[in-house]
Every structure is written in C-alpha cells, then in structure tokens.
Amino acid sequence: MTLSTLTHLECGKCGATYDAHQLMNLCPACGKPLLARYDLAKAAQTLTPAALKTRPANLWRYEEVLPVQRDDARLMLGEGWTPLVCAGTLGNEIGCPNTLIKDESLNPTGSFKARGLAMAVSRALELGAKEIAIPSAGNAAGAMSAYAAAAGLKAHVFMPADVPMMFRVECAQLGATVTLVDGLITDCGVKVREGAQQHGWFDVSTLKEPYRIEGKKTMGYELAEQLGWTLPDVIIYPTGGGTGLVGMWKAFDEMEQMGLIGSKRPRMVTVQSAGCAPMVRAFEEETEFAEPWQGAKTVADGLRVPAAVGDFLILQALRQSGGIAITVTDEEMIHYAKVMGRHTGIFPAPEGSATLAAQIHLLEKGWIQPDETVVLFNTGSGLKYAHLWA
Ligand SMILES: *Cc1c(COP(=O)(O)O)cnc(C)c1O
C-alpha cells in the first residue's frame, strides 16, 4: 500500500461529497468537477522536506497527497521531477534576470500531460476500468495511450481530423484505437460520451474525472521543493482546460495546510492564443464562467479548447492570486519559440513559447517588475510540431 491519505471526493462547485473508492466522472448533483481531498494532518507527519530527500525523482514522491492506494497500480514511465532551469541568458536578454523555466518537455511522451494521465490511468486501473477514452487535440491523447499501454487497458482516442500527424501517429504506435472526427475537440468529446454510454468506456477528459488534476498539481509541489519551499512572484501558464493551473493552486493550499509553505502566493498568469481565448475574455468581463469561444483556431493544439469544464476554478485562481489573463498571437508563439531555443537550449512547444511572449508583454506594461522571479511553464516539446518550424 502507498502512504496515500485520500479521504473522499468533493465537488468544486456545490461541495457535495462522495466515496473516493469508485469510478466517478463529474459531480452527479451539479455536473461540475470533483476534487480529491486528503487527511492533510496525517499526510504532514510523513511528507516532510527531510523525508522527500530520500525519495525517487518522479512525481510519486508526493504519495501522501496522491490518490493511488496500491503500489502495483502506479504506472511509472518516468513522469515528473522535471528540471527548473535558470534561464539567466534569456532573462538578461529580455530584462528580467530571474526568469526560470519549468521544462515539462522532458516528461514521457514529451509533455506535462503525462503527469495527469499517469494519475488518471493508474487510478482507473485500480478502480477496475477496462477501456478508457479521451477526446484530444494533441498531447493528452499520446500520454493517455502510453499509460493505457503500460496498464494493459484498451484506449480509444478521438481527435479532430486536422490534428498534426505526429500526435495521431504517436497514439497509434502506442496501441490506441484512433478515430478522426470532423470538428473540434468539443465534437470529439461528444463521441467519447457516446462510447462511454454504449460500451462502458471510462472517460478521462480534462477535469471530467478527479485525478488528472492530482497528477498535474505535482508541478506545484515540485516548484516549491525545487525553490527550497518558497514560491516565485509570478507563474505564467499556457491555459487550455486549466488542469495545471487549478492543480497548482490546489497544491499551494495543501502545502500551506501541511506547514510546508506560508501564505504567500505567486500571481498566476493565464496565456491563451488570440484565436481561442475564452478565459481571457471571461477574466476581462469579470464573469464567473466562460462563454464557449466560436471558431477556435490556433497552432497551439493544447490551447485550442473553446470551453473548459473547470472555467470557474481557473478564473477563481487567477483572481485570488492577483493574476491576469492575456492573449498572444500564433505568430508570436512561433517567433518566441526560436528566441527561447536560442537563449536556453530548450526547444519549446508553441504553448511553451506563448509564456515567453506573455512575459515580454507584461514586462512592457509594467505588470511584471524586472527584479521579480518569474517561472515560465514549457508544457511540451517542440519536436511534435515539426510542421510549424520548417
Ligand atoms: C494540454 C496542453 C496545454 C494546456 O494545459 P491545461 O492544463 O489543459 O490548461 C498547454 N500546453 C501543452 C503543450 C499541452 O499539451
């Protein structure tokens, strides 16, 4: 058995609680995302900075605050504990020397989607799922296919027909059944729901099951641990479904409750593409939820999410943190990918370079001060996007 202190699931909206030891998707009462809750007082007894020093260099090191109960249900391909790179040369170039890059491209399947899907698929395996399904415009599908293969579960992937070749090929090579759908990720989601009803597939869509966010929140734990149990002034995060942002925000609260950090929080920044920016619009209009974005179009496949189930959680985290939401153009993403590459040695996905473009805009506006510590999330590798760089 792991040291997991999972106690129950709680709806992020209506607060209804549920037994955690059953397969669940959205809250049956209100249709919003369920969040995992832990006995943090108990977790704090063993999850200490000293204990962590001897633990493996992957995300399972935070086992007290992860949901998986059985050691043998943990699917391990090397996910997590990615480097926090001091990007001093880049920082000097742009006038913000304390710029750091959390390089998530080193995860299995080349993106941080591995964190969420390692957790979701491990937990689905533990709770008896036989076949799993996902709608994805890119990296999530590859990560899901990898962990399904590791688990010996059948995987069904639904992708928009215009998805770049590498994303599709990766899933097929990893043994998933890939169906191309004429339309957007939301149309793919409809297909997954049909399959779930007809064939009993378990749907591992973003925030439609409670555990991808638990995998993604480990980015928050790692950031704090790698910074000696402090947090940066600003975190810039390319936001699609928002699991990473909401997950880190949850992690900071858990860490504070366990006495690992204090009450200081980073200002959280959401970056979206000008071609699909539902969160930026909702942030600016000060609404609780985000209206779906019509005609979503961007080369950053991870940001082509016209409607996010966790919209209210993203907006809450941005507002509580004193953060902001901004757009950058696809042209900027392509341009700044090369700037990041040239000055750091990291070859980012366009979602990753979007954070650099955003940082530059926010420095110009005076929203970020030159002496502040800024963490950019390079959420994926540029390698799968060969079509963009040539
Ligand atoms: C999925 C994805 C994102 C968006 O992540 P969310 O946590 O869903 O907001 C950003 N970048 C890349 C490379 C992605 O694959």
Side-chain angles (χ1 to χ4, degrees), residues 66-356:
L66 295 176
V68 179
Q69 307 292 302
R70 278 192 352 246
D71 289 317
D72 65 346
R74 297 191 290 192
L75 302 165
M76 295 184 184
L77 295 171
E79 50 289 327
W81 203 250
T82 55
L84 182 63
V85 177
C86 290
T89 311
L90 176 69
N92 287 331
E93 186 72 21
I94 64 171
C96 188
N98 298 320
T99 297
L100 302 155
I101 302 176
K102 183 73 170 150
D103 188 12
E104 291 293 303
S105 68
L106 293 172
N107 277 297
T109 67
S111 89
F112 71 164
K113 290 291 193 305
R115 292 181 187 266
L117 285 147
M119 206 56 60
V121 180
S122 293
R123 192 70 179 136
L125 173 70
E126 175 164 83
L127 294 176
K130 296 282 179 273
E131 300 188 30
I132 55 181
I134 200 167
S136 167
N139 285 310
M144 189 269 249
S145 303
Y147 289 98
L153 296 177
K154 276 189 95 161
H156 302 272
V157 168
F158 290 83
M159 307 184 113
D162 58 352
V163 70
M165 184 188 67
M166 273 314 298
F167 291 105
R168 175 166 55 78
V169 167
E170 180 182 37
C171 298
Q173 287 298 108
L174 292 168
T177 305
V178 181
T179 307
L180 297 179
V181 177
D182 257 325
L184 292 172
I185 188 163
T186 31
D187 304 299
C188 298
V190 173
K191 297 280 181 204
V192 168
R193 277 198 293 286
E194 286 169 12
Q197 273 166 10
Q198 283 170 17
H199 313 290
W201 302 342
F202 186 63
D203 181 351
V204 293
S205 304
T206 299
L207 283 169
K208 286 193 187 162
E209 61 73 56
Y211 301 118
R212 277 175 68 176
I213 179 178
E214 294 303 292
K216 284 264 194 95
K217 85 178 177 190
T218 58
M219 294 188 293
Y221 280 89
E222 286 179 23
L223 203 54
E225 190 179 354
Q226 289 171 324
L227 290 170
W229 303 104
T230 65
L231 294 172
D233 297 307
V234 175
I235 289 178
I236 309 187
Y237 183 85
T239 306
T243 14
L245 188 122
V246 174
M248 284 193 276
W249 196 246
K250 181 173 189 278
F252 300 153
D253 276 346
E254 291 174 357
M255 285 190 277
E256 185 179 356
Q257 286 183 56
M258 289 187 287
L260 289 167
I261 60 168
S263 60
K264 179 184 176 272
R265 293 287 183 276
R267 309 199 299 285
M268 306 296 284
V269 178
T270 270
V271 195
Q272 297 198 299
S273 164
C276 180
M279 291 305 138
V280 179
R281 185 172 62 190
F283 181 82
E284 286 172 354
E285 292 177 355
E286 299 183 14
T287 55
E288 185 187 4
F289 298 98
E291 286 297 313
W293 191 269
Q294 302 302 322
K297 194 172 181 304
T298 169
V299 297
D301 300 276
L303 306 185
R304 201 163 59 146
V305 182
V309 238
D311 52 359
F312 65 104
L313 297 171
I314 299 170
L315 292 162
Q316 256 170 33
L318 293 177
R319 288 173 184 141
Q320 285 173 11
S321 76
I324 199 169
I326 77 165
T327 59
V328 301
T329 64
D330 282 13
E331 292 70 30
E332 287 176 307
M333 291 183 220
I334 292 171
H335 171 75
Y336 284 108
K338 194 161 184 181
V339 175
M340 187 183 280
R342 215 167 51 215
H343 293 293
T344 65
I346 294 169
F347 181 10
E351 295 86 343
S353 58
T355 64
L356 175 57

